[in-house]
Amino acid sequence: MEPSRYVTTRTFGDARVSLISDGSGRSTIVRDLLVPEAVWRRDVPEADDLGEITVGYHCALIEIGRARVLVDLGFDDPGPLSMWKPPRHQRSPGLLAGLHALGFGPGDISHVVVTHGHGDHFAGASEIRDGVRQPRFPNARHTIGRADWDSLPSRHDPHSLLSVHLGAVARAGLLDPIDGDRTIVPGVDALATPGESPGHLCVRVVSGGARFYFVGDLFHHPCEVRNLSWVSRGRDAESMERSRRRMLTDAGPDATWAFTHRPFPAWGQIVPAGEGYRWIDRP
Ligand SMILES: [Zn+2]
């Protein structure tokens, strides 16, 4: 597959940001919204009879100064544990192939930010090397919201994806759980945005007057931009809406956005519309 079909790069001031698609899949995410079906269907015309839509799985690489900040880690290697479930998921050549196309190997990544503790965002954190499970990005400090490391119930199951993959990072001394916001490097901030999970982080890039937001699962579909109170089962609705409003106020109308599950290439803009907001794809 040509890199241009799963890797896309833009410049924001002195920062170069690439979105790398790890693949796509069919998802029940809108069917799981705590909203009557007849209501959500008005804003999701592409949903099929089962209420499923196609979603993307994106990671982001931010190059700024000497830093190379990777946001989210995609899926793990195929195997019995893997989150990757063909044929529901179609994999791209993958995160490492995307990094390679940009000229980087795993050792070149200086920082990792895990937006939250759901497997589709961090399972690529580790791999088996020399028979031992080890961090895939051995030179990177890995930042995660503390509540998604200390408090998720899966932490207490040694066989959970969280324990296996981020456990390998923690054992190597590379995991930095944080409280609140944190500057990763000048121009790149991780912002505490709970709701999808208690420790969810969005990543903001500000350089030369340009702003870019990689917001993980703050939104899963543009219908949630239009309706800021819409959340799926299992999320903290109040925190989610507060986090969405915080990011929208912070960003203003000229920022560029991407959220993990928007199909490739995922670039977009959020503009005021009536009382609220509207997502516009900017491919
Ligand atoms: Zn997700």
Side-chain angles (χ1 to χ4, degrees), residues 213-235:
Y213 291 74
F214 187 88
V215 297
D217 284 5
L218 186 75
F219 303 110
H220 306 81
H221 184 275
C223 71
E224 296 174 344
V225 175
R226 194 180 277 275
N227 306 277
L228 296 176
S229 63
W230 288 13
V231 296
S232 301
R233 188 174 320 129
R235 276 68 169 184

Side-chain angles (χ1 to χ4, degrees), residues 57 116 118 120-121 196 217 220 260-261:
Y57 295 92
H116 62 295
H118 293 169
D120 50 330
H121 297 258
E196 173 72 6
D217 284 5
H220 306 81
T260 301
H261 298 304

Side-chain angles (χ1 to χ4, degrees), residues 20-279:
I20 303 171
S21 166
D22 205 19
S24 62
R26 297 297 287 173
S27 169
T28 61
I29 190 72
V30 293
R31 191 176 77 199
D32 294 341
L33 287 167
L34 298 170
V35 178
E37 180 171 351
V39 175
W40 66 250
R41 277 198 182 272
R42 286 202 288 268
D43 282 345
V44 193
E46 72 273 31
D48 67 12
D49 290 349
L50 295 172
E52 295 186 354
I53 59 169
T54 294
V55 297
Y57 295 92
H58 286 89
C59 308
L61 178 70
I62 302 158
E63 300 167 59
I64 186 165
R66 298 168 61 89
R68 296 176 191 115
V69 183
L70 182 60
V71 187
D72 282 350
L73 298 159
F75 283 81
D76 41 356
D77 291 333
L81 253 183
S82 179
M83 290 214 55
W84 199 251
K85 304 267 187 289
R88 281 187 71 77
H89 296 129
Q90 292 85 47
R91 201 154 199 177
S92 79
L95 173 59
L96 292 185
L99 290 174
H100 184 74
L102 292 165
F104 301 118
D108 296 322
I109 303 302
S110 59
H111 302 76
V112 165
V113 179
V114 176
T115 58
H116 62 295
H118 293 169
D120 50 330
H121 297 258
F122 69 74
S126 79
E127 63 184 352
I128 305 281
R129 278 199 312 273
D130 306 325
V132 181
R133 185 162 287 285
Q134 303 182 43
R136 198 188 292 273
F137 301 97
N139 299 322
R141 301 301 311 176
H142 292 56
T143 298
I144 187 171
R146 186 182 304 282
D148 275 25
W149 176 241
D150 287 352
S151 325
L152 287 195
S154 54
R155 175 76 189 285
H156 305 295
D157 170 3
H159 303 294
S160 72
L161 288 169
L162 192 75
S163 298
V164 169
H165 294 294
L166 290 183
V169 175
R171 280 194 301 280
L174 293 175
L175 192 67
D176 293 330
I178 62 166
D179 301 292
D181 302 341
R182 176 72 61 93
T183 295
I184 304 299
V185 294
V188 181
D189 292 293
L191 304 173
T193 41
E196 173 72 6
S197 66
H200 187 278
L201 300 172
C202 291
V203 175
R204 175 182 65 199
V205 178
V206 179
S207 180
R211 301 171 89 79
F212 169 70
Y213 291 74
F214 187 88
V215 297
D217 284 5
L218 186 75
F219 303 110
H220 306 81
H221 184 275
C223 71
E224 296 174 344
V225 175
R226 194 180 277 275
N227 306 277
L228 296 176
S229 63
W230 288 13
V231 296
S232 301
R233 188 174 320 129
R235 276 68 169 184
D236 176 341
E238 218 169 282
S239 299
M240 190 78 136
E241 183 171 351
R242 198 178 315 121
S243 292
R244 287 170 174 170
R245 290 189 185 282
R246 178 189 174 199
M247 288 298 96
L248 287 160
T249 304
D250 192 271
D254 299 324
T256 300
W257 297 68
F259 59 89
T260 301
H261 298 304
R262 190 69 184 144
F264 184 81
W267 304 109
Q269 193 182 354
I270 296 180
V271 297
E275 305 274 282
Y277 297 93
R278 187 163 63 94
W279 172 271

